[in-house]
Amino acid sequence: MEIWINPACSKCRSAISLLDAEGADYTVRRYLEDVPTEDEIREVLARLGLEPWDITRTQEAAAKDLGLKDWPRDAGARDRWIAALAAHPKLIQRPIITADDGTAVVARTEEAVRDALSR
C-alpha cells in the first residue's frame, strides 16, 4: 500500500502512526515533492470512486486564486480539475491510501485507515 502525505498535516501523521502501530507494510509518497501526474490522479480517482472536485481542498489559497468554487462540477470540466490538482498538488485532499486490493481511501479518520488496512 502507498500513502500520499504532507508531513505538515496532522491527519497524515495520525494515519502514519496508526499504520506503524498495526505493523502495516506501506510506502510514503510526499506528494508535494513527488507530484502525481494527471494520469496518476485519474487512477487514484478511479480507485476512490470519486471525482476530482471530491478530493479538492477548496479552502486553499490556490483554490481561491483559481476560482474553483465557480468551476462546473461535471464530466466536461473533469480534465480541467485534474490538471489543476496536478499543477497545484496542495489542493489534493490528504492523506490518501492506495490499498493492496486496488482500491483507495481518503484516510482522514482512524476508521478510514482501518478500512484500508482491512483490504
Side-chain angles (χ1 to χ4, degrees), residues 67-111:
L68 288 182
K69 70 179 178 114
D70 298 323
W71 287 18
R73 295 179 180 212
D74 58 29
R78 191 171 198 269
D79 286 342
R80 182 179 180 197
W81 281 85
I82 291 169
L85 293 174
H88 307 277
K90 196 168 189 178
L91 296 176
I92 300 171
Q93 190 58 264
R94 60 189 183 252
I96 294 176
I97 297 176
T98 54
D100 293 336
D101 70 350
T103 62
V105 296
V106 178
R108 295 189 57 76
T109 65
E110 181 177 327
E111 181 180 271

Side-chain angles (χ1 to χ4, degrees), residues 13-80:
R13 292 191 306 271
S14 294
I16 293 285
S17 292
L18 182 54
L19 291 175
D20 288 343
E22 295 296 324
D25 182 22
Y26 65 93
T27 56
V28 170
R29 179 170 186 171
R30 294 179 179 217
Y31 72 95
L32 297 179
E33 299 162 17
D34 182 8
V35 179
T37 65
E38 289 183 28
D39 285 341
E40 288 174 314
I41 293 169
R42 281 186 189 87
E43 179 185 341
V44 163
L45 287 167
R47 292 174 78 163
L48 287 166
L50 297 173
E51 293 296 337
W53 44 86
D54 297 326
I55 66 161
T56 300
R57 297 172 56 84
T58 56
Q59 298 305 310
E60 291 288 336
K64 292 176 181 175
D65 291 345
L66 292 168
L68 288 182
K69 70 179 178 114
D70 298 323
W71 287 18
R73 295 179 180 212
D74 58 29
R78 191 171 198 269
D79 286 342
R80 182 179 180 197

